[in-house]
Amino acid sequence: MRKMTSALTAASALSLIAGSALAQTGTAADPSILTPERVFSDPSLAGPVARGVTLSPDGELVAFLRSREDDVNVLDLWAAPTGEGEPTKLIDARALVPDEGELSEAETARRERMRISQSGVVEYSWDQQGRYILAPIGGDIFLATRADGSVRRLTETEADEIDAKVSPEGNYVSFVRDQDLVVLDLASGTETPITNDGDGVITWATAEFIAQEEMDRDTGYWWSPNERFIALQRTDESPVAVIPRLDISGEGSTTIDQRYPRAGAANAVVELYVRDLRSGDRVKVDLGDNTDIYLARVDWSANGDTLYVQRQWRDQKRLDLLAVDPTTGEGRVIATQRDRAWVELTHDFKALQDGRFIWSSEEDGWRHLYLHDANGRVVRQITEGDWPVKALEGVNEETGEVFFTASMRDGREFPTEQQLFRVSLEDRDAPVAITPEGGWWSASMNRPGTAFVGGYTDLETPARTGLYQADGTFVRWIEENRLDETHPFWPYVSRRPDVEFGTLESHGEELVWMMAKPPGFDPSRQYPVVMQVYGGPSGGGVKNAWLPPTTQLLTEAGYVVFRLDNRGEGYRSAAFKRALYHRMGVPEVEDQVLAANWLRDQPYVDDSRMSAMGWSYGGFMALHMLTEPGMALTSAISGAPVTDWSLYDTHYTERFMGKPQENEDGYARSDVVDRLDQLTGRLLLLHGMADDNVIFENATRVIDALQEESVPFEMMLYPGQRHGVRGNPRQLQQWRTYLDFLDRTIGERRVAD
């Protein structure tokens, strides 16, 4: 009976969606019309996209992950020579582990933090010699030997081996098992426990929840370049409050006592140690008397004699760089960054062979690179101007060239595009663009800075990956992903939406927007609008890049799709980002009101049919927009929203809002429940019933408040799903739900009714 009901519901939803598309095209079986069923099926419409691409240390081989043709959610490891020759499969995940089974809660949570939704070979690592590639599959570890292409299984245990690494010189493999660090000698096969008391609230060599989720740090241990030392963290979670979390699936429910550090509450205590593999000694690193700090970053000097530690203070207004003697654990602060709001964490630290180092800072109002001497003093500012460095990508110490990505054109910021640039380490020359203008480039350089793997996309070009010399000279394709008759998206190209970009001004800041219009757009007609929103601190969503096919689902259904990067969103100036400091939910919504009013002034917009949709921070924004009278939205879709920032975690929330006890007014203003009496339209609320990031309590607060006031709304819950909805079947259901809701509130069915 349940299967029949589900089938009838799916069929009804499909007919509604098809009906909406037919209203635009008048053709019942037009094969060029993109459908939800095609979007969420295999092969992927994205085409053959290479993931996790890296160059071997010697620059002769490129490794990458590729989805299987029979299952886009399973990844295999491939490699291609940088010269002539076709790519070959190094590790076939299903051949080695046909059934991965269930991962441990620790590994499942870790992958959730890393936003890994696939299985198979989801990560891998090289040794510095380029002899081996290490890959975990299904909780065990496999080692591919480059010379003969053999694959060796290193572990086969009941426990998961996580965060596995090949040591820099390729003599050892290390991993975390049952909360302890283990080192395996590749020559003898002998395992040596580096720690042995990991249990309960004590964990070794694993990044704590806050580091994984908010600090972009996925590891808790670091090899020295000469393999003599391992720096490793010890985490004591006993101070962190236990938040009982119901993990509800379709097969029942379990209670997980999750230690979740909510804003204003206690964090885990993190310590750092160094193990000397030569002597067997372990010393504790002196991080200072204050234990309420964040272990932000850990790096080694080029010769392995100095351990660099970035220590972030709890209020995040100060970031110290410590130089530590690994034999004694003694350290000294050699550089400090301060800010009245918060200091950004980056991966822009590079230790040079001569003892100097590169580090980025926003001290002049923009994120730029600085050269420091071994004692931490600034030698010179490497980059400067009214534009931010996105990331330090590499250094060629022989030529004195520094490589970085930035959204910059003609010496000023250009947020919708990104390029790779080079600049001199020593001279005050202007940056030189290595990649051409016109789209969105990413880059991964090899260690010596002589070549890079470049990813490129624009509105007309799906993501493609190539190998390039450091000067930008093309070497070979890794995945060309040519959009031609063989590409899975080719049948739907003719109905790709027209996209335009523009700007609006808010409080002296330039906001960028993009708009996608339905096929056959007629400017004399009036169309409903879907405002897609994220709104929170991020890389921004307005880009000259290939549109996700879900955008085309919306335009096929007859909607104008609009997105604005409001203040606080995107890699912009420090002032642009800090507009939301202590005021989350205020400047972002003001900017979205500005955008809504601009849309209403456009003759082709039906201002009585406007909706917003967003997930996570975007879900928070969608609720605020639906309860903002100035928006006057007809409906909104809110997925996995934060509804009270005091329920969210310490590092993220306190960075922008401070502690609840220090900013009571700011927290009160951002509480969505207190605004629900101002709903201007219909609400669709969605949430995963096993969400361990934005805890389900955020949704139940809204559900309870609306029911208490007898306010009708719609709701879709996802058993077993965490902070995202995974897998083609559930995502298909999710988008059928979206389209059905929009059709009834702002679409053709509303007009018909």
Side-chain angles (χ1 to χ4, degrees):
M1 191 66 176
R2 173 183 291 180
K3 289 185 178 179
M4 183 179 293
T5 302
S6 299
L8 289 172
T9 303
S12 300
L14 178 58
S15 66
L16 295 175
I17 296 162
S20 180
L22 290 177
Q24 304 301 315
T25 65
T27 304
D30 188 342
S32 67
I33 295 177
L34 187 62
T35 66
E37 291 69 31
R38 180 59 193 92
V39 171
F40 299 106
S41 62
D42 298 323
S44 170
L45 289 175
V49 176
R51 298 175 173 86
V53 185
T54 61
L55 275 164
S56 63
D58 60 10
E60 294 182 0
L61 200 69
V62 180
F64 59 96
L65 303 177
R66 177 189 282 176
S67 292
R68 299 177 66 91
E69 291 187 2
D70 59 347
D71 191 340
V72 71
N73 292 310
V74 178
L75 302 176
D76 294 323
L77 179 64
W78 288 69
T82 55
E84 296 181 356
E86 294 301 313
T88 58
K89 187 183 296 186
L90 285 183
I91 296 181
D92 185 320
R94 280 194 170 156
L96 294 175
V97 183
D99 182 7
E100 293 191 24
E102 293 292 328
L103 296 172
S104 67
E105 172 61 24
E107 178 63 0
T108 300
R110 178 174 176 269
R111 292 191 183 189
E112 180 72 16
R113 303 282 82 76
M114 297 172 70
R115 304 300 186 260
I116 295 174
S117 59
Q118 293 96 348
S119 61
V121 185
V122 297
E123 55 182 327
Y124 68 94
S125 61
W126 292 93
D127 69 311
Q128 287 186 3
Q129 312 305 310
R131 293 180 297 171
Y132 304 114
I133 299 180
L134 187 73
I137 307 175
D140 288 313
I141 304 171
F142 297 82
L143 187 73
T145 302
R146 178 178 166 187
D148 59 10
S150 64
V151 178
R152 171 184 169 193
R153 185 171 195 149
L154 300 181
T155 64
E156 191 169 3
T157 65
E158 291 294 324
D160 284 344
E161 284 80 28
I162 66 175
D163 197 12
K165 302 176 185 178
V166 186
S167 62
E169 295 181 358
N171 294 310
Y172 306 96
V173 164
S174 53
F175 50 85
V176 178
R177 177 195 291 150
D178 292 332
Q179 300 177 216
D180 281 307
L181 182 64
V182 179
V183 170
L184 184 151
D185 187 311
L186 284 176
S188 66
T190 303
E191 290 187 0
T192 302
I194 301 301
T195 63
N196 55 21
D197 62 337
D199 187 42
V201 296
I202 304 300
T203 302
W204 283 96
T206 301
E208 73 278 20
F209 172 89
I210 284 296
Q212 293 179 32
E213 181 61 41
E214 309 299 0
M215 296 163 60
D216 197 22
R217 178 167 67 79
D218 300 317
T219 190
Y221 71 100
W222 302 264
W223 282 91
S224 66
N226 56 13
E227 294 188 346
R228 177 180 174 182
F229 301 106
I230 301 178
L232 67 161
Q233 79 173 72
R234 178 183 187 270
T235 305
D236 179 359
E237 288 194 297
S238 60
V240 181
V242 174
I243 308 296
R245 174 173 63 82
L246 270 179
D247 192 323
I248 303 173
S249 71
E251 300 175 351
S253 63
T254 57
T255 300
I256 296 176
D257 289 334
Q258 181 176 348
R259 291 188 180 270
Y260 189 97
R262 285 179 167 168
N267 276 320
V269 175
V270 176
E271 300 171 330
L272 186 65
Y273 292 78
V274 178
R275 169 69 177 259
D276 188 333
L277 296 185
R278 184 183 302 169
S279 67
D281 295 336
R282 186 174 75 200
V283 299
K284 183 179 180 181
V285 174
D286 183 5
L287 296 178
D289 296 332
N290 181 10
T291 61
D292 196 13
I293 51 93
Y294 295 107
L295 179 66
R297 300 285 185 266
V298 178
D299 295 278
W300 285 96
S301 63
N303 60 12
D305 290 343
T306 301
L307 182 69
Y308 293 107
V309 180
Q310 294 183 41
R311 176 184 66 191
Q312 188 179 47
W313 291 61
R314 173 70 183 258
D315 65 8
Q316 302 183 56
K317 301 177 189 293
R318 175 175 169 177
L319 180 65
D320 296 323
L321 180 65
L322 285 69
V324 177
D325 182 342
T327 62
T328 65
E330 296 179 1
R332 58 191 178 95
V333 177
I334 61 173
T336 296
Q337 296 182 21
R338 292 183 173 87
D339 191 273
R340 65 168 183 82
W342 70 83
V343 178
E344 294 275 6
L345 296 181
T346 73
H347 293 286
D348 300 335
F349 181 90
K350 172 67 175 178
L352 304 178
Q353 294 289 339
D354 61 9
R356 298 183 298 175
F357 61 87
I358 297 171
W359 200 24
S360 66
S361 167
E362 290 185 318
E363 63 183 70
D364 74 349
W366 301 85
R367 177 176 167 185
H368 283 298
L369 302 175
Y370 294 79
L371 177 64
H372 298 250
D373 66 19
N375 293 312
R377 290 185 292 266
V378 175
V379 175
R380 61 177 294 265
Q381 184 171 345
I382 299 172
T383 62
E384 57 185 318
D386 292 344
W387 49 270
V389 167
K390 294 289 187 68
L392 172 64
E393 304 293 354
V395 179
N396 186 323
E397 296 191 56
E398 289 191 7
T399 62
E401 294 174 308
V402 178
F403 301 88
F404 63 92
T405 44
S407 293
M408 180 259 289
R409 184 187 287 188
D410 299 326
R412 65 184 299 269
E413 67 170 341
F414 200 83
T416 59
E417 297 179 3
Q418 180 169 288
Q419 293 172 262
L420 178 66
F421 295 85
R422 71 169 181 264
V423 68
S424 173
L425 181 65
E426 308 290 352
D427 301 327
R428 295 188 176 277
D429 298 332
V432 175
I434 294 174
T435 56
E437 299 174 352
W440 197 268
W441 283 89
S442 61
S444 174
M445 298 208 73
N446 64 350
R447 184 178 297 273
T450 57
F452 69 93
V453 172
Y456 177 77
T457 179
D458 60 33
L459 289 172
E460 306 299 326
T461 310
R464 56 175 50 175
T465 309
L467 177 65
Y468 301 81
Q469 295 177 8
D471 63 1
T473 301
F474 175 77
V475 177
R476 66 161 297 160
W477 290 116
I478 298 168
E479 288 284 14
E480 184 179 7
N481 201 9
R482 181 188 294 273
L483 186 60
D484 58 17
E485 292 85 351
T486 65
H487 196 281
F489 191 79
W490 182 256
Y492 315 103
V493 167
S494 64
R495 297 180 65 82
R496 287 278 292 171
D498 291 329
V499 176
E500 60 182 277
F501 295 88
T503 61
L504 297 173
E505 185 173 320
S506 175
H507 296 77
E509 298 284 1
E510 187 175 83
L511 314 178
V512 293
W513 57 260
M514 64 185 297
M515 180 189 296
K517 297 176 180 178
F521 177 77
D522 181 354
S524 66
R525 289 183 51 195
Q526 287 195 322
Y527 292 84
V529 175
V530 176
M531 299 179 70
Q532 291 186 322
V533 63
Y534 182 74
S538 71
V542 178
K543 301 175 181 178
N544 182 2
W546 184 253
L547 293 176
T550 50
T551 299
Q552 192 159 335
L553 290 181
L554 293 171
T555 56
E556 284 286 13
Y559 304 117
V560 168
V561 181
F562 182 88
R563 176 152 187 169
L564 173 87
D565 284 353
N566 49 246
R567 282 172 295 158
E569 184 175 9
Y571 291 113
R572 306 287 298 275
S573 69
F576 188 94
K577 293 183 291 185
R578 285 155 176 72
L580 52 68
Y581 182 60
H582 280 199
R583 303 172 65 229
M584 277 177 152
V586 178
E588 313 100 291
V589 178
E590 289 176 354
D591 292 348
Q592 296 295 335
V593 169
L594 176 71
N597 288 333
W598 179 84
L599 285 166
R600 288 189 174 90
D601 288 338
Q602 308 312 304
Y604 50 82
V605 169
D606 184 343
D607 62 5
S608 70
R609 295 192 290 159
M610 295 179 63
S611 188
M613 64 185 302
W615 196 273
S616 193
Y617 201 106
F620 165 79
M621 285 291 294
L623 281 170
H624 273 262
M625 292 162 69
L626 189 62
T627 55
E628 171 56 51
M631 291 291 302
L633 292 180
T634 310
S635 65
I637 299 170
S638 174
V642 175
T643 63
D644 177 358
W645 285 107
S646 68
L647 299 178
Y648 202 57
D649 67 51
T650 52
H651 192 273
Y652 184 92
T653 307
E654 293 173 13
R655 185 189 326 159
F656 310 117
M657 293 288 283
K659 293 181 178 179
Q661 53 268 40
E662 299 167 354
N663 182 22
E664 293 182 2
D665 290 344
Y667 276 80
R669 280 195 305 269
S670 65
D671 191 330
V672 170
V673 168
D674 294 337
R675 301 168 54 93
L676 293 176
D677 60 346
Q678 302 179 86
L679 282 171
T680 63
R682 301 284 298 191
L683 170 65
L684 170 61
L685 181 67
L686 308 94
H687 214 113
M689 300 183 77
D691 197 330
D692 60 350
N693 179 5
V694 179
I695 304 298
F696 190 39
E697 182 182 347
N698 283 275
T700 59
R701 296 177 71 246
V702 173
I703 295 168
D704 181 65
L706 290 175
Q707 290 175 347
E708 186 67 24
E709 295 300 320
S710 304
V711 177
F713 65 100
E714 299 182 38
M715 181 171 58
M716 183 60 63
L717 302 179
Y718 289 92
Q721 300 299 292
R722 301 203 179 205
H723 194 50
V725 178
R726 312 295 190 193
N728 279 336
R730 289 182 190 268
Q731 288 182 310
L732 172 57
Q733 189 278 342
Q734 179 184 15
W735 271 88
R736 283 174 168 172
T737 301
Y738 286 166
L739 291 167
D740 175 57
F741 176 79
L742 291 171
D743 199 24
R744 289 184 287 105
T745 58
I746 65 171
E748 295 301 319
R749 285 174 62 200
R750 174 196 147 156
V751 173
D753 292 343

